[in-house]
Amino acid sequence: RFPYLGAPGGPFDAVDDPEVRIIYLQFGIRMGKTLFGQMTTLFYADVAPYNMLFASVTKQLAEQVAERTTEMAAACPRLSHQLPREELRNKHEVQFDNCRIYVGWFRSDATLADKDVLIGHGNEIDKLVQVQTATEGDPLERFIDRASNKPRHKYILESTPQRRNHSRVEAGRLASTNCSFHV
């Protein structure tokens, strides 16, 4: 359903490329951006387990995506045996035997703090509005700092911008290789 994810030079090639640190996904709505981030974190949980962080703009959205990620892992034979029993699962992290995907939201300083991670997936980053009274600084910068001390870190930052030239994901995409898939 999403041929552009695996297209040559596309996002999955960027996951495999050790030189790529940030993958910006600027797609229309319901086009697989979040799915790509979920598949990437589950891939790393399987082949190179290390703690990861998923963050979204609201607690509700973060928990919904975490629940879907857990359901995806439960349906995967290589990962399902690493999950805790269903009654022991936590909606604020996806737990595996050898790693965790922490779940946070950008307006919560506590859910982004003190996490030692290798992979970060930032969901709907253009809907993030920094509160002028924030004392901890820009939430997206704090999110990106979580893995910046790891030489092989990787971030997936995704959103559907609403206004041209007022988008973090658009600016990131334009400053990168600016790959696109035309139908």
Side-chain angles (χ1 to χ4, degrees):
R1 290 181 48 193
F2 306 103
Y4 42 84
L5 295 178
F12 279 122
D13 280 356
V15 169
D16 289 337
D17 187 337
E19 300 297 315
V20 173
R21 294 286 159 248
I22 301 177
I23 301 168
Y24 292 97
L25 300 177
Q26 180 185 356
F27 300 169
I29 59 171
R30 310 294 303 160
M31 296 294 292
K33 299 178 302 293
T34 303
L35 176 66
F36 173 81
Q38 292 170 299
M39 290 187 295
T40 300
T41 55
L42 293 175
F43 168 76
Y44 275 96
D46 180 36
V47 302
Y50 201 92
N51 291 338
M52 296 169 261
L53 176 59
F54 168 78
S56 193
V57 290
T58 67
K59 177 181 179 183
Q60 180 183 8
L61 185 55
E63 289 174 349
Q64 288 172 351
V65 172
E67 184 177 343
R68 289 194 318 259
T69 304
T70 301
E71 290 170 4
M72 291 169 65
C76 177
R78 292 178 60 123
L79 292 172
S80 62
H81 67 281
Q82 294 187 43
L83 292 169
R85 292 190 324 262
E86 196 166 341
E87 64 272 11
L88 299 176
R89 293 180 187 164
N90 180 342
K91 58 184 174 178
H92 297 125
E93 64 183 36
V94 181
Q95 303 170 12
F96 298 99
D97 288 343
N98 299 313
C99 68
R100 291 180 170 23
I101 302 171
Y102 297 110
V103 178
W105 45 100
F106 290 112
R107 298 279 303 265
S108 166
D109 294 337
T111 63
L112 298 180
D114 297 325
K115 305 287 191 279
D116 182 31
V117 301
L118 182 65
I119 307 297
H121 174 199
N123 172 254
E124 297 295 351
I125 65 168
D126 282 341
K127 292 182 180 161
L128 173 62
V129 177
Q130 183 175 353
V131 179
Q132 295 301 322
T133 58
T135 58
E136 299 285 328
D138 180 21
L140 186 59
E141 289 177 13
R142 286 195 341 266
F143 172 75
I144 290 175
D145 282 345
R146 296 299 96 206
S148 60
N149 63 334
K150 304 282 186 293
R152 300 208 52 192
H153 68 269
K154 215 166 275 270
Y155 293 97
I156 296 101
L157 301 178
E158 45 107 343
S159 196
T160 302
Q162 296 178 0
R163 292 179 46 207
R164 186 177 303 275
N165 300 323
H166 289 84
S167 163
R168 291 181 188 214
V169 77
E170 178 186 47
R173 178 186 56 82
L174 291 173
S176 69
T177 59
N178 196 17
C179 294
S180 58
F181 183 81
H182 298 273
V183 179

